[in-house]
Amino acid sequence: PSNVIQDCAPCAWQQSMERHRPMKFEDCQRSREVGFVSSDPNFSVRPDGSVYAKQELANLSEPVQFMVTARGLHDPHIWETTVKLALAGHPHPLGGIEEMLSRVWDSQPRVIKFPRKHQRSSSANGLKRQKRDWVIPPINVPENSRGPFPHMLVRIRSDQDKAVGIRYSITGAGADQPPSGIYNIDPISGNMFVTQPLDREERASFHLRAHAVDMNGNQVENPIDLYIYVIDMNDNRPEFQNQVYNGSVAEGSKPGSSVMQVTATDSDDSTTANGMVRYRILSQTPNTPIPNMFTINSETGDIVTVAAGLDREKVSQYTIIVQATDMEGNLNFGLSNTATALISITDINDNPPELTVRTFSGEVPENKVNVVVTNLTVMDRDQPHSPNWNAVYRIVSGDPSGHFTIRTNPITNEGMLTVVKPVDFEMNRAFMLTVVVSNQAHLASGIQSSLQSTAGVTISIQDVNEPPIFPVNPKMIRFEEGVPAGTTLTVFAAQDPDHFIHQIVRYSKLSDPANWLKINKTNGQITTMALLDRESMYVKNNVYEATFLAYDNGSPQASGTGTLQIYLIDVNDNAPVLIPREAQVCERARPNSMVNITASDADADPNVGPFVFELPSFPASVRRNWTISRLSGDYAQLRLRIPYLEASVYEIPIIVSDSGNPPLSNRSVIRVKVCPCDSNGDCSATGAVAAAGLGTGAIIAILICIIILLSMVLLFVVWMKRREKERQAKPLLIDPEDDVRDNILKYDEEGGGEEDQDYDLSQLQQPESLDHIINKPAGVRRVDERPVIAESQYPVRPSLPHPGDIGDFINDGLRAADNDPTAPPYDSLLVFDYEGSGSTAGSVSSLNSTSSGDQDYDYLNDWGPRFKKLADLYGGGDDD
């Protein structure tokens, strides 16, 4: 199949010759009938694949490159390869190919003819067989050519150009398709040109088709395929993916340990030396312990260690300059580039922690906890704040009871020896501890622990004055309730733990809710001061608690507390109480008309129920009208014995007895309301009133009280109306609206108005004394001044006037005021303080009377001396 031939053909043709030697070819059908054609006229290929020179070459000191095409005799497909020849024993650098290609570029262009179709007769049946078209070898064009342009590549011609006029053209990408204009052809001569430099990295090959038509546009030849290959030049440097690479390797790593990889790429053809990159290390900083601690794989870029001795504590980072060169690392012809590799040396736990001193010491007061006794200092050269550096402290001996622990300070890495359990000076005056320090991480393989990782700690305990201690706290005692005052209950004594100091212990009462107890201040004896009652509110669950204080005479004084719990044993000292105290039943005996009764007792079992309920024999009506039946040990029923009982409230005495030894009894009274009931057995409204205990007399008394209260309210209203009428029966001498007395008042000065800063207010104020009036000449007086004459005498109101004299008193005062020339307003207008000008209220001088026509004002003369001035102004008197 054709696809099989296409897949396997490149495997047989990707070969190169560096010396003059034969090459064997065969197709995928194992057929050795293969035809070869060389693009160089100086070389040819025999049917067996041997390449030979067709003529003696004058100079073969430079490499020669040409194309060889092949095809099988029974296969329409073709293959091609590049053959490079060099003189044996005289290798030349591959860079010489560029010079060779330059000479090929300048050599005489080839002529490519359109292949002809030949017919031949078949030997068997006379049929004619068409000869296959010959394949045109590819055209090689070097990239980055300097021209001149356009530069002729080949000449296309047809054998029929002598018989008819031919026009040539080319089509395809690079000609009439993007990128268009790179190639063109002379339509008459068939010369094909390249118009500009080529870049293999942009496009490595072109596929064009050449056409030949006559003057009428008719096709003269079948189109031929032209393959143009851009020959790569070393015009691109290797480029590193990163300018700075970061890698790491553990300290103490063995030679050959992988560190990191650097990668550089070259845009040139990777199948040629132009794109083959090689790596090498240019420098290492610092050069310790040796200058060449690392090496790099020239092809892969892998950096590995080549020597031992990496120590982070000495060198924590190396800087490596890496160079990448193409042309397989040829420094003379290759292009290079550099990058930086930063290699960090990671820490391992190769340095054990060491305590700075062999012995530490400290002291702590007794009975203290969470107190730091001393700080253990340590030195570790590994990476700070890492598991290889973080210290872990342990107490290996000297503290069997676990009084101490060592916590690590996360910042300083010091060990804080701390008290976690109180120590007693009387038990231990000093401790000798042995501590060991290690790291969170285990030591690296082959690293031994240091002797300086162990140290001793001496701790001195300081004696302090300890408070007295009650040996049993709380202390429980049992007593029957009701013990009399003055009874000794117990001795509640405390002990002083300071055995080496003789101190006196004293006692006092700290808490005694019921104030039942007292304590002897010297020996701690507890005595009662009152009767102990188990039923008291201060007793909880039969237990009464009191707290006492014991203190010594040390310096400073220390005290301790103790709790005494008295369990009170119950005695039968509380009689039962009847429950409920009120109930109601129907006046007629019914099956459901009953009262369930029980009792409560403050005592405890067995001094409570079962209870005994019974009716007393006196009065006799109780047992005659009522009966009690027992339901259970704690409950009984009270019901009517007779069929009917008048509705009312009855107080029924009942005797209740408990089960104590001896039993206690109590005579209790229950109020039972007997009332008429409806069909459901519930008291009706009328019956409820009757059962409430209000008789007819009580109801009448309530009604009389209500009537009396309403009568008093009515009398008060009538009296108020009568008084109002009497007040209206004596009218005043003048209309209250016309009474102007005391309507014009003098107010204190309150300051001026908007413009009160430029005038003297004293000229507008009423004088406080009459000296200036008395000293004035006769006949000169202001109209608003008070006359200087003796004041009139006004009637004096009796201390206890009769209500009927009020009108007479007012009339007498009115007549005295009318005849008093010294009474304000002195028959003139008063002058008030100046409040500034520019008020928005305007002036009242513009007010005019709205009255029209003549009006008689003579009646003003009848109003007294107060209106004399008005009478003179409007009445036409003698003073007009």
Side-chain angles (χ1 to χ4, degrees):
S2 61
N3 62 340
V4 175
I5 298 175
Q6 292 173 356
D7 290 342
C8 67
C11 299
W13 282 90
Q14 297 299 323
Q15 299 187 28
S16 175
M17 293 182 59
E18 295 187 355
R19 67 178 184 268
H20 196 178
R21 61 185 176 88
M23 294 180 295
K24 300 297 183 180
F25 301 95
E26 62 182 19
D27 63 10
C28 293
Q29 296 179 351
R30 301 300 177 183
S31 173
R32 297 188 180 277
E33 298 180 357
V34 180
F36 305 97
V37 175
S38 171
S39 62
D40 193 332
N42 296 323
F43 298 92
S44 183
V45 183
R46 295 190 178 93
D48 61 356
S50 299
V51 178
Y52 64 94
K54 298 175 65 174
Q55 57 186 356
E56 185 175 351
L57 299 178
N59 184 10
L60 196 58
S61 59
E62 301 293 339
V64 177
Q65 176 177 300
F66 55 91
M67 300 294 297
V68 175
T69 58
R71 69 173 181 176
L73 296 179
H74 304 290
D75 193 343
H77 296 86
I78 64 172
W79 296 270
E80 55 189 30
T81 187
T82 302
V83 178
K84 301 176 183 178
L85 298 179
L87 185 63
H90 294 81
H92 293 270
L94 294 178
I97 297 178
E98 184 175 353
E99 299 178 4
M100 180 272 295
L101 291 175
S102 178
R103 288 196 299 272
V104 172
W105 180 271
D106 296 333
S107 61
Q108 185 68 24
R110 293 184 299 167
V111 177
I112 298 177
K113 295 183 178 181
F114 284 92
R116 304 305 303 157
K117 296 179 181 179
H118 301 280
Q119 304 291 336
R120 67 178 182 178
S121 299
S122 174
S123 58
N125 50 14
L127 296 176
K128 294 183 179 180
R129 179 175 181 268
Q130 178 177 318
K131 186 178 181 180
R132 298 180 185 179
D133 293 342
W134 190 247
V135 177
I136 306 302
I139 305 170
N140 296 321
V141 180
E143 67 172 335
N144 301 327
S145 174
R146 298 179 181 177
F149 295 101
H151 183 83
M152 180 177 176
L153 298 179
V154 293
R155 179 184 178 190
I156 308 298
R157 63 179 300 269
S158 173
D159 292 342
Q160 302 184 32
D161 58 355
K162 297 180 179 180
V164 295
I166 302 297
R167 293 294 181 267
Y168 302 97
S169 63
I170 55 175
T171 59
D176 60 343
Q177 299 176 14
S180 58
I182 298 178
Y183 303 98
N184 58 27
I185 190 172
D186 188 329
I188 299 176
S189 64
N191 294 333
M192 179 177 171
F193 301 91
V194 58
T195 63
Q196 62 189 33
L198 303 181
D199 188 355
R200 190 204 67 85
E201 285 70 41
E202 293 183 2
R203 192 180 183 96
S205 63
F206 298 87
H207 178 201
L208 305 178
R209 304 197 75 183
H211 307 270
V213 297
D214 58 13
M215 300 302 293
N216 297 324
N218 299 319
Q219 178 176 317
V220 177
E221 303 282 359
N222 290 331
I224 60 175
D225 293 319
L226 301 177
Y227 293 93
I228 303 174
Y229 293 101
V230 182
I231 304 301
D232 183 45
M233 297 295 172
N234 189 19
D235 57 345
N236 291 280
R237 294 178 179 274
E239 296 291 339
F240 283 96
Q241 295 180 354
N242 301 302
Q243 281 301 310
V244 178
Y245 290 84
N246 292 282
S248 62
V249 63
E251 63 175 332
S253 296
K254 297 179 180 180
S257 300
S258 177
V259 179
M260 60 191 302
Q261 183 185 30
V262 297
T263 304
T265 57
D266 197 314
S267 300
D268 292 325
D269 190 357
S270 59
T271 62
T272 65
N274 297 336
M276 295 181 180
V277 180
R278 298 295 182 263
Y279 305 92
R280 71 189 187 106
I281 295 177
L282 294 182
S283 64
Q284 167 191 305
T285 305
N287 293 324
T288 57
I290 61 174
N292 299 317
M293 291 294 297
F294 305 94
T295 187
I296 187 169
N297 188 305
S298 62
E299 295 184 0
T300 63
D302 291 323
I303 299 176
V304 297
T305 61
V306 293
L310 293 175
D311 190 350
R312 191 203 64 83
E313 288 71 38
K314 294 180 179 179
V315 179
S316 61
Q317 188 181 69
Y318 289 90
T319 302
I320 305 296
I321 304 301
V322 180
Q323 183 184 58
T325 307
D326 57 16
M327 298 299 292
E328 296 182 291
N330 190 316
L331 299 178
N332 295 326
F333 301 98
L335 302 177
S336 302
N337 213 337
T338 60
T340 302
L342 302 178
I343 302 174
S344 299
I345 309 303
T346 58
D347 184 47
I348 64 172
N349 195 12
D350 58 344
N351 294 281
E354 297 178 351
L355 294 166
T356 56
V357 296
R358 298 290 297 172
T359 303
F360 295 88
S361 61
E363 59 182 10
V364 63
E366 64 174 333
N367 300 325
K368 295 290 185 179
V369 295
N370 296 326
V371 176
V372 177
V373 180
T374 185
N375 289 325
L376 310 180
T377 54
V378 70
M379 181 180 65
D380 195 320
R381 292 178 294 173
D382 288 321
Q383 179 70 39
H385 306 290
S386 68
N388 300 329
W389 179 82
N390 295 336
V392 178
Y393 299 87
R394 291 180 297 113
I395 300 175
V396 295
S397 64
D399 185 24
S401 301
H403 291 282
F404 305 95
T405 188
I406 304 178
R407 301 185 178 99
T408 303
N409 189 318
I411 300 176
T412 63
N413 212 27
E414 294 180 351
M416 299 180 293
L417 182 62
T418 309
V419 182
V420 294
K421 184 178 179 181
V423 293
D424 190 356
F425 175 81
E426 286 70 27
M427 300 293 295
N428 295 286
R429 297 189 179 186
F431 289 86
M432 296 293 296
L433 308 181
T434 302
V435 298
V436 175
V437 63
S438 59
N439 293 124
Q440 288 182 352
H442 295 291
L443 290 175
S445 178
I447 305 299
Q448 299 296 326
S449 179
S450 173
L451 295 177
Q452 295 181 355
S453 298
T454 304
V457 182
T458 302
I459 303 175
S460 300
I461 308 302
Q462 297 174 343
D463 186 25
V464 297
N465 185 24
E466 300 177 79
I469 299 174
F470 290 90
V472 180
N473 191 16
K475 183 178 183 179
M476 173 73 75
I477 60 175
R478 298 172 65 90
F479 270 87
E480 284 189 353
E481 65 172 330
V483 295
T487 303
T488 299
L489 300 181
T490 185
V491 176
F492 196 27
Q495 299 175 357
D496 192 349
D498 294 318
H499 302 307
F500 302 101
I501 304 176
H502 180 68
Q503 298 182 132
I504 299 175
V505 179
R506 292 290 182 264
Y507 304 91
S508 64
K509 186 169 62 174
L510 187 63
S511 172
D512 182 13
N515 199 25
W516 287 345
L517 308 174
K518 67 178 180 179
I519 186 170
N520 189 299
K521 64 182 301 184
T522 58
N523 59 12
Q525 179 176 294
I526 307 297
T527 307
T528 62
M529 294 191 304
L531 193 70
L532 303 184
D533 186 7
R534 191 198 66 85
E535 289 75 34
S536 172
M537 59 182 295
Y538 302 107
V539 178
K540 308 297 182 184
N541 299 323
N542 301 328
V543 177
Y544 179 76
E545 282 191 358
T547 306
F548 299 92
L549 184 68
Y551 55 92
D552 58 22
N553 59 346
S555 180
Q557 188 182 72
S559 61
T561 59
T563 301
L564 178 65
Q565 296 178 337
I566 305 173
Y567 186 88
L568 297 176
I569 302 172
D570 183 49
V571 297
N572 193 18
D573 58 346
N574 292 279
V577 179
L578 184 67
I579 298 175
R581 305 306 296 269
E582 294 183 355
Q584 66 180 18
V585 295
C586 297
E587 60 183 0
R588 297 186 181 277
R590 295 187 180 187
N592 59 350
S593 181
M594 63 193 71
V595 179
N596 292 329
I597 59 176
T598 184
S600 65
D601 197 325
D603 293 323
D605 192 65
N607 298 320
V608 289
F611 300 104
V612 177
F613 304 91
E614 56 184 350
L615 296 174
S617 57
F618 181 83
S621 60
V622 176
R623 289 192 174 185
R624 183 175 61 249
N625 297 335
W626 304 91
T627 182
I628 293 178
S629 58
R630 187 182 183 86
L631 294 178
S632 63
D634 295 334
Y635 292 91
Q637 279 186 350
L638 174 67
R639 65 175 64 205
L640 286 173
R641 179 186 290 274
I642 59 178
Y644 172 79
L645 184 64
E646 183 181 359
S648 183
V649 177
Y650 298 87
E651 293 185 353
I652 304 172
I654 298 177
I655 299 174
V656 185
S657 302
D658 59 21
S659 298
N661 187 18
L664 293 180
S665 299
N666 181 29
R667 183 186 176 100
S668 301
V669 175
I670 180 172
R671 290 171 55 88
V672 179
K673 299 177 182 179
V674 179
C675 58
C677 298
D678 54 16
S679 58
N680 297 326
D682 300 327
C683 282
S684 60
T686 306
V689 174
L694 297 177
T696 305
I699 296 175
I700 293 174
I702 293 174
L703 292 176
I704 292 175
C705 292
I706 294 175
I707 292 173
I708 292 174
L709 180 62
L710 292 176
S711 299
M712 293 177 63
V713 172
L714 182 61
L715 290 175
F716 180 77
V717 171
V718 171
W719 179 77
M720 291 296 294
K721 288 184 174 295
R722 181 179 178 182
R723 185 178 178 184
E724 183 68 21
K725 290 180 179 180
E726 290 179 354
R727 186 180 304 167
Q728 295 177 358
K730 295 182 178 182
L732 296 176
L733 297 178
I734 60 175
D735 191 351
E737 294 182 357
D738 298 332
D739 188 5
V740 296
R741 289 177 300 169
D742 295 334
N743 287 347
I744 300 177
L745 303 178
K746 174 190 175 185
Y747 294 91
D748 291 336
E749 177 185 337
E750 296 181 355
E754 296 85 350
E755 301 175 7
D756 59 352
Q757 305 299 323
D758 299 326
Y759 58 88
D760 185 6
L761 291 177
S762 62
Q763 301 298 325
L764 302 177
Q765 295 177 349
Q766 183 172 341
E768 298 294 336
S769 66
L770 302 178
D771 296 339
H772 65 289
I773 301 178
I774 297 174
N775 297 327
K776 279 187 177 182
V780 179
R781 185 171 68 88
R782 286 170 50 183
V783 295
D784 60 341
E785 292 179 349
R786 180 178 179 179
V788 186
I789 59 176
E791 296 183 358
S792 301
Q793 298 297 322
Y794 288 87
V796 179
R797 184 180 180 183
S799 59
L800 296 175
H802 188 274
D805 296 337
I806 296 176
D808 297 337
F809 174 77
I810 294 175
N811 293 329
D812 294 341
L814 179 61
R815 286 192 295 270
D818 289 340
N819 296 319
D820 184 6
T822 63
Y826 316 129
D827 292 334
S828 65
L829 298 177
L830 297 180
V831 178
F832 290 90
D833 287 348
Y834 178 72
E835 295 185 353
S837 62
S839 175
T840 57
S843 175
V844 298
S845 61
S846 61
L847 297 178
N848 295 321
S849 175
T850 56
S851 301
S852 59
D854 296 332
Q855 183 175 353
D856 186 12
Y857 294 97
D858 293 338
Y859 64 90
L860 296 177
N861 297 317
D862 300 331
W863 285 13
R866 296 172 62 93
F867 298 91
K868 186 176 182 300
K869 187 67 175 178
L870 289 176
D872 295 339
L873 293 175
Y874 293 93
D878 297 338
D879 298 335
D880 287 345

